[in-house]
Amino acid sequence: DVKVTQSSRYLVKRTGEKVFLECVQDMDHENMFWYRQDPGLGLRLIYFSYDVKMKEKGDIPEGYSVSREKKERFSLILESASTNQTSMYLCASRVENQPQHFGDGTRLSIL
Amino acid sequence: QKEVEQNSGPLSVPEGAIASLNCTYSDRGSQSFFWYRQYSGKSPELIMFIYSNGDKEDGRFTAQLNKASQYVSLLIRDSQPSDSATYLCAVLSGTYKYIFGTGTRLKVLA
């Protein structure tokens, strides 16, 4: 079974803080993805990584950065958190040309 | 802007009936199509994927793909109250980008 683990289920941070969301997969998947999910807007791709140290912007990368130093770990960084970044954040991974699988999600609140 | 459209629902069906969920997409070049189920407060869970025109069956679930009409559907036979969830349609556009619909909320009435 595919296991994608996100470090926190719930997180509360303050405006202006630097926030790190971690995602780890144990299936040697090449591709990893970060999405945010908001009511009425669906899932939107923030960044993805097709291999170690490689990253590509998704549809809404502004205010975010990512890091992938090891194959199993993909980190999402909010450089200076703002209230409009309050959302559900979902990490996913896949072997190329196979479906992606999601972690449990992190519900992030920025106060 | 490439899009995936779903009726937001709720779609209400009685227990034991067939639930039919539909999805249209705009990227004619898309080759891979997915259905995810998402319970309230949980993350999406893959239930079906389909790459070729026609039907693909897995237990009570059948995915149907019509590339000419740019249309994907999911049928759930013998619907159960535990099937009540939001169903997300996703289309792979290019090599890496998945485009998700906003989901159809299904309610199965006991």
Side-chain angles (χ1 to χ4, degrees):
Chain A
D1 251 9
V2 177
K3 185 67 176 171
V4 181
T5 303
Q6 293 184 230
S7 53
S8 305
R9 291 297 308 277
Y10 302 94
L11 206 53
V12 180
K13 296 291 182 180
R14 297 216 171 267
T15 305
E17 279 192 70
K18 191 168 186 175
V19 181
F20 294 84
L21 303 182
E22 306 286 344
C23 176
V24 176
Q25 50 91 6
D26 65 355
M27 293 300 293
D28 204 35
H29 287 176
E30 295 96 351
N31 307 156
M32 297 186 75
F33 306 80
W34 275 107
Y35 296 88
R36 62 178 284 177
Q37 186 176 30
D38 301 288
L41 297 177
L43 275 84
R44 293 180 291 165
L45 180 64
I46 304 171
Y47 269 95
F48 67 95
S49 168
Y50 52 89
D51 207 341
V52 180
K53 297 192 187 292
M54 308 306 287
K55 58 188 178 185
E56 293 283 343
K57 293 179 181 179
D59 298 317
I60 51 164
E62 297 79 17
Y64 303 95
S65 63
V66 289
S67 172
R68 192 162 180 209
E69 295 298 314
K70 294 185 177 181
K71 193 172 187 179
E72 67 269 20
R73 185 181 297 270
F74 191 35
S75 303
L76 179 70
I77 303 150
L78 285 66
E79 297 290 344
S80 177
S82 64
T83 54
N84 63 12
Q85 293 178 307
T86 290
S87 187
M88 167 75 105
Y89 288 87
L90 291 159
C91 175
S93 74
R94 68 163 198 178
V95 173
E96 255 183 64
N97 301 319
Q98 294 295 315
Q100 58 181 345
H101 296 267
F102 287 89
D104 288 339
T106 296
R107 191 166 293 279
L108 175 64
S109 296
I110 307 294
L111 304 179
Chain B
Q1 180 78 352
K2 294 167 184 173
E3 293 181 340
V4 173
E5 300 283 346
Q6 295 181 257
N7 188 319
S8 61
L11 171 68
S12 294
V13 301
E15 184 175 358
I18 296 175
S20 177
L21 304 159
N22 304 313
C23 169
T24 59
Y25 61 95
S26 63
D27 182 3
R28 192 168 279 281
S30 296
Q31 298 295 321
S32 305
F33 307 86
F34 309 88
W35 283 99
Y36 288 85
R37 178 177 62 201
Q38 187 173 25
Y39 292 113
S40 181
K42 303 293 187 183
S43 64
E45 171 193 11
L46 178 73
I47 52 172
M48 290 287 289
F49 59 93
I50 186 167
Y51 302 148
S52 304
N53 270 334
D55 294 2
K56 179 182 178 183
E57 189 174 313
D58 184 1
R60 294 187 297 113
F61 298 99
T62 299
Q64 298 175 317
L65 174 60
N66 183 326
K67 289 183 181 178
S69 301
Q70 296 177 242
Y71 180 91
V72 192
S73 64
L74 178 71
L75 301 178
I76 306 174
R77 287 181 299 283
D78 188 24
S79 295
Q80 301 298 309
S82 59
D83 294 326
S84 298
T86 297
Y87 289 80
L88 305 177
C89 173
V91 173
L92 183 58
S93 181
T95 306
Y96 300 106
K97 281 200 172 182
Y98 292 77
I99 301 171
F100 285 81
T102 53
T104 297
R105 192 155 63 97
L106 173 67
K107 297 174 80 170
V108 180
L109 307 172

